[in-house]
């Protein structure tokens, strides 16, 4: 109840909604249209998920619309592979873009015309200073910039030179088109920023049609304006660029220019979100691709077994803020546990097996016992599990010489085998190193699970699987990929990787029912956590389960 209240509070009105409310009340806009504008140069991560859900959520809340637009104005980096991956991720998160995608590069002609408009208004000029000179002339935070000697060319000359730039008559770097704003502006972004550059490069969409390309700060506001976006939501680092955004849409002459609103990026502890770092982990072979379950790309979270609902819940709990901060990874784990708790069957799997032999149980008998799938959600029904003379239990559930308060199996002690019988340990065997190789017990037929036996109680309940009726599988356990305690980065700027981030267990046994599981299916393994069938490496012959999250939580919602 408490938890829901907190969620509700977070949901009702973040500061962006308050701004939108004002805009609707003042008549600045009579509808809401948002967009998500990824650059197709990598896979989306949890931070992008926040942006997607925020933008899409606003369009839903105000019964407006939402565009998915690829910001592909930069001809060097974009790749088709990323376009497809991004579409899949946006769809998976449930942000409906009506199967219609927009490409910034489709506006190159209109952007070019917008540049011409500025030149004709005397608001843009062709500059021939070198890149170094432009930097030098720009000035500093404390010193005004100097005007370019090319600043006062005639409109005719500017039109002619811009035409030369466009027609391939100018080498890369020799000329740029700059907005004519104010070299003394306190905001350096307003000191005659470059809006077009010459680049003789092939673009993935427009091929060799263009050899001039617009700069981001010029292109982005235009893309928004062309699509009739009302609220252009972006992250904090663009705050200082907002005056330029406004200048562009105003001076190009849009009647109802879009409004930029900034919010703080989502950062998570113990994980890597920057594209640059993720790419390096992929390129260096430290992870097995952009969807390695230790990453927090959306495809990795999906492969790990996270659900869109859990990510939505997480993003809502994080809220929208104007101040940068890091969110504890444990909060994301809390959300997936909450989401799966009632949805998933609770099965038995033994990850570190040791044999338990029931001495008084018939040799070849297989007894199919009833097991409820989820005690807290009867709708999930029940299943049958095979009980046999030889079982596997977790090695940690037996001790030869237990400390006080150890209620699991030890010589002479009786425990409940979950969904089955009480068993009492009568003997055990060890190898020459003292390692336990098998445990012997006797069972009491009267204690069968579901019967009304109440003559005595036991303090411990342990899980098990049949030794010859179970399926052998691989299980992967994960820890965070970076070690935040010691600092995310080493002194040389490289990532401080956690050497234990992946632990592969090859000798695990699961209920036979689980052999039928398909990629992305997920389950609770009783006492061990939530697990998901790996979509890349699992096969019916050899299933591979990834641990999504353990059962233990270090996160408190009301902290
Ligand atoms: P990164 O630097 O992590 O690779 P990016 O900003 O270069 O991200 P884009 O494709 O340009 O990636 O981003 C698309 C949208 O997602 C932008 O509107 C951007 O502001 C938003 N975004 C990116 N990272 C985050 C984040 N950590 N939290 C919230 N929104 C983000
Ligand atoms: Mg970017």
């Amino acid at each position: 109840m408490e938890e829901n209240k907190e969620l509700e509070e977070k949901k009702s009105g973040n500061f962006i909604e308050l701004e939108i409310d004002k805009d609707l009340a003042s008549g600045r806009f009579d509808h809401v249209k948002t967009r998500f504008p990824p650059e197709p140069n990598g896979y989306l991560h949890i931070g992008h998920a926040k942006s997607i859900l925020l933008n899409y959520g606003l369009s839903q809340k105000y019964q407006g619309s939402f565009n998915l637009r690829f910001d592909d104005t930069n001809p060097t980096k974009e790749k088709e592979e990323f376009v497809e991956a991004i579409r899949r991720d946006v769809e998976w998160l449930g942000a409906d873009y009506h199967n219609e995608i927009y490409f910034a590069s489709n506006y190159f002609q209109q952007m070019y015309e917008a540049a011409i408009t500025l030149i004709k208004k005397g608001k843009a000029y062709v500059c021939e200073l070198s890149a170094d000179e432009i930097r030098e002339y720009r000035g500093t935070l404390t010193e005004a910039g100097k005007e370019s000697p090319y600043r006062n060319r005639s409109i005719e000359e500017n039109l002619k030179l811009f035409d030369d730039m466009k027609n391939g008559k100018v080498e890369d770097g020799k000329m740029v088109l700059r907005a004519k704003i104010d070299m003394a502006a306190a905001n350096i972004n307003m000191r005659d920023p470059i809006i077009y550059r010459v680049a003789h490069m092939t673009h993935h969409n427009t091929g060799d049609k263009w050899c001039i390309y617009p700069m981001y700060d010029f292109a982005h506001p235009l893309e928004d304006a062309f699509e009739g976006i009302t609220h252009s939501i972006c992250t904090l680092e663009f705050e200082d660029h907002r005056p330029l955004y406004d200048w562009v849409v105003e001076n190009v002459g849009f009647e109802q220019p879009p409004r930029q609103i900034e919010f703080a990026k989502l950062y998570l502890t113990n994980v890597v979100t920057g594209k640059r770092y993720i790419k390096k982990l992929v390129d260096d072979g430290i992870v097995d691709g952009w969807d390695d379950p230790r990453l927090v790309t959306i495809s990795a979270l999906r492969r790990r077994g996270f659900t869109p609902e859990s990510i939505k819940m997480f993003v809502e709990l994080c809220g929208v803020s104007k101040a940068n901060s890091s969110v504890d990874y444990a909060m994301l784990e809390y959300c997936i546990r909450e989401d799966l708790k009632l949805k998933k069957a609770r099965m038995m799997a033994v990850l570190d097996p040791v044999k338990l032999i029931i001495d008084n149980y018939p040799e070849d008998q297989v007894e199919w016992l009833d097991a409820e799938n989820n005690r807290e959600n009867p709708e999930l029904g029940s299943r049958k599990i095979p009980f046999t003379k030889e079982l596997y239990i977790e090695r940690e559930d037996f001790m030869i010489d237990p400390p006080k308060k150890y209620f699991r199996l030890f010589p002479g002690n009786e425990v409940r085998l979950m969904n089955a019988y009480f068993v009492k340990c009568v003997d055990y065997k060890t190898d020459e190193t003292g390692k336990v190789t098998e445990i012997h017990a006797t069972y009491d037929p009267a204690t069968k699970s579901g019967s009304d036996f109440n003559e005595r109680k036991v303090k411990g309940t342990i899980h098990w699987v049949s030794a010859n009726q179970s399926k052998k599988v691989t299980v992967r356990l994960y820890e965070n990929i970076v070690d935040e305690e010691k600092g995310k980065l080493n002194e040389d700027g490289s990532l401080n990787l956690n050497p234990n981030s992946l632990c592969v267990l090859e000798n695990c046994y699961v209920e036979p029912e689980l052999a039928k599981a398909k990629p992305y299916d997920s389950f609770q393994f009783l006492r061990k956590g939530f697990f998901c069938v790996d979509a890349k490496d699992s096969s019916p012959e050899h299933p591979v389960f990834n641990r999504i999250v353990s059962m233990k939580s270090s996160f408190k919602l009301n902290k």
Side-chain angles (χ1 to χ4, degrees):
M1 277 339 282
E2 275 290 278
E3 294 171 3
N4 287 342
K5 213 172 82 197
E6 184 150 336
L7 251 182
E8 282 312 312
E9 275 166 19
K10 287 264 159 73
K11 272 188 203 164
S12 64
N14 58 54
F15 77 92
I16 296 180
E17 290 170 11
L18 299 180
E19 290 304 312
I20 293 178
D21 290 340
K22 278 190 220 159
D23 289 343
L24 294 172
S26 73
R28 176 166 177 178
F29 298 110
D30 62 3
H31 67 287
V32 171
K33 185 167 185 180
T34 57
R35 87 286 175 263
F36 175 66
E39 197 180 337
N41 64 351
Y43 282 67
L44 301 181
H45 55 61
I46 183 84
H48 296 114
K50 174 164 185 172
S51 178
I52 293 165
L53 294 170
L54 174 62
N55 279 292
Y56 178 68
L58 289 169
S59 77
Q60 291 298 99
K61 172 157 185 169
Y62 291 94
Q63 283 135 14
S65 48
F66 167 80
N67 283 4
L68 172 59
R69 179 207 311 143
F70 288 95
D71 211 333
D72 61 348
T73 53
N74 184 349
T76 49
K77 289 184 268 173
E78 282 87 20
K79 274 210 200 144
E80 294 293 341
E81 174 202 352
F82 297 132
V83 171
E84 282 316 305
I86 290 171
R87 287 185 73 157
R88 195 167 59 232
D89 292 345
V90 173
E91 274 166 34
W92 181 73
L93 283 172
D96 184 6
Y97 58 92
H98 303 286
N99 219 15
E100 199 171 344
I101 48 176
Y102 296 81
F103 288 94
S105 58
N106 286 341
Y107 307 130
F108 280 160
Q109 179 64 30
Q110 284 160 275
M111 290 175 184
Y112 165 75
E113 286 162 16
I116 299 277
T117 301
L118 290 182
I119 295 175
K120 286 185 175 164
K121 285 184 174 173
K123 306 243 177 192
Y125 63 96
V126 172
C127 181
E128 291 171 63
L129 291 178
S130 69
D132 283 342
E133 286 166 330
I134 288 181
R135 203 170 308 123
E136 222 182 278
Y137 276 60
R138 192 176 294 139
T140 62
L141 282 173
T142 50
E143 240 178 284
K146 261 193 324 195
E147 294 191 350
S148 160
Y150 304 99
R151 196 173 200 262
N152 294 314
R153 289 200 216 260
S154 69
I155 291 175
E156 288 66 36
E157 197 183 357
N158 280 317
L159 286 172
K160 153 91 181 49
L161 292 173
F162 191 48
D163 204 46
D164 288 348
M165 284 168 66
K166 177 188 176 238
N167 292 329
K169 294 184 186 161
V170 178
E171 265 175 64
D172 290 10
K174 288 283 185 238
M175 288 182 190
V176 291
L177 186 70
R178 297 176 69 175
K180 194 171 178 177
I181 310 180
D182 179 5
M183 287 309 291
N187 183 337
I188 294 183
N189 293 308
M190 299 299 271
R191 295 183 188 170
D192 292 10
I194 300 171
I195 59 177
Y196 256 100
R197 65 188 169 122
V198 179
H200 290 270
M201 284 196 271
T202 304
H203 187 277
H204 79 111
N205 181 25
T206 55
D208 293 323
K209 177 156 188 242
W210 297 92
C211 61
I212 51 170
Y213 290 97
M215 303 301 286
Y216 182 86
D217 280 342
F218 180 61
H220 201 83
L222 291 176
E223 293 156 27
D224 287 339
F226 294 148
E227 289 174 16
I229 300 300
T230 57
H231 296 86
S232 176
I233 318 283
C234 65
T235 42
L236 231 43
E237 70 274 23
F238 291 101
E239 195 166 18
D240 288 345
H241 298 241
R242 189 184 342 123
L244 180 52
Y245 184 103
D246 291 340
W247 186 92
V248 169
V249 287
E250 188 191 319
N251 286 282
V252 171
F254 290 95
E255 270 178 16
Q256 204 169 48
R259 172 176 177 198
Q260 174 178 307
I261 301 177
E262 310 85 16
F263 72 100
K265 273 195 173 180
L266 169 64
Y267 294 100
L268 262 187
T269 61
N270 297 87
V271 297
V272 185
T273 46
K275 252 177 229 168
R276 196 162 55 91
Y277 288 113
I278 298 179
K279 185 168 184 313
K280 186 150 170 31
L281 290 172
V282 174
D283 291 345
D284 293 351
I286 291 168
V287 295
D288 86 344
W290 285 88
D291 61 355
D292 186 289
R294 288 168 291 175
L295 297 175
V296 285
T297 58
I298 298 177
S299 49
L301 290 166
R302 180 168 57 232
R303 181 171 166 200
R304 177 91 173 247
F306 280 82
T307 57
E309 292 78 11
S310 65
I311 293 174
K312 241 171 255 172
M313 179 180 176
F314 175 68
V315 163
E316 271 161 18
L317 274 177
C318 290
V320 185
S321 142
K322 266 276 186 198
N324 279 321
S325 67
S326 265
V327 177
D328 193 344
Y329 183 81
M331 188 158 118
L332 184 59
E333 295 190 315
Y334 166 83
C335 293
I336 186 67
R337 266 190 220 103
E338 281 299 299
D339 186 46
L340 299 183
K341 189 164 77 176
L342 299 181
K343 284 186 188 168
K344 299 296 171 182
R346 300 174 180 181
M347 320 281 281
M348 296 200 282
V350 174
L351 307 190
D352 183 15
V354 62
K355 214 166 237 185
L356 174 69
I357 300 166
I358 315 290
D359 290 340
N360 59 341
Y361 197 81
E363 193 78 39
D364 295 317
Q365 184 165 316
V366 181
E367 193 179 352
W368 289 88
L369 302 172
D370 282 316
E372 256 178 314
N373 282 332
N374 188 322
R375 205 183 305 168
E376 293 174 58
N377 180 9
E379 277 177 27
L380 292 186
S382 64
R383 66 184 186 284
K384 300 270 188 194
I385 5 177
F387 188 81
T388 53
K389 183 180 181 75
E390 294 199 359
L391 308 173
Y392 287 123
I393 62 168
E394 298 285 353
R395 188 165 284 283
E396 64 175 18
D397 285 342
F398 174 78
M399 282 183 97
I400 298 171
D401 196 9
K404 268 204 180 108
K405 301 224 167 139
Y406 184 88
F407 299 122
R408 290 170 273 170
L409 212 53
F410 55 87
N413 192 40
E414 188 174 48
V415 298
R416 179 198 304 276
L417 291 179
M418 217 173 266
N419 299 307
Y421 300 96
F422 287 12
V423 292
K424 184 172 187 169
C425 177
V426 293
D427 197 10
Y428 63 90
K429 293 203 169 99
T430 57
D431 64 11
E432 61 281 2
T433 67
K435 190 177 172 193
V436 176
T437 51
E438 59 184 55
I439 303 158
H440 288 262
T442 53
Y443 88 115
D444 178 352
T447 59
K448 186 169 176 172
S449 173
S451 69
D452 46 18
F453 177 83
N454 60 7
E455 279 164 42
R456 61 183 188 278
K457 292 213 174 335
V458 287
K459 281 201 170 132
T461 300
I462 64 176
H463 64 274
W464 54 276
V465 293
S466 157
N468 61 8
Q469 298 282 316
S470 56
K471 177 79 181 166
K472 188 173 176 187
V473 303
T474 296
V475 168
R476 296 173 182 154
L477 305 179
Y478 301 103
E479 285 181 15
N480 289 132
I481 193 155
V482 285
D483 192 343
E484 191 104 335
E485 307 254 290
K486 297 202 199 92
K488 220 173 209 168
L489 297 181
N490 295 316
E491 266 169 32
D492 64 358
S494 62
L495 287 168
N496 181 17
L497 296 170
N498 172 4
N500 304 319
S501 63
L502 170 65
C503 168
V504 183
L505 306 174
E506 297 288 4
N507 191 35
C508 306
Y509 294 86
V510 299
E511 290 180 35
E513 176 94 1
L514 282 164
K516 292 183 251 164
K518 296 182 299 300
Y520 298 112
D521 282 353
S522 57
F523 307 89
Q524 184 181 131
F525 289 174
L526 281 155
R527 300 167 70 211
K528 291 289 156 191
F530 290 97
F531 293 77
C532 181
V533 180
D534 190 73
K536 256 190 186 168
D537 304 323
S538 192
S539 66
E541 300 71 46
H542 197 132
V544 178
F545 289 89
N546 298 329
R547 178 147 76 183
I548 310 168
V549 66
S550 71
M551 300 305 290
K552 295 186 199 91
S553 174
S554 58
F555 175 77
K556 295 263 182 327
L557 189 61
N558 294 314
K559 201 157 53 177

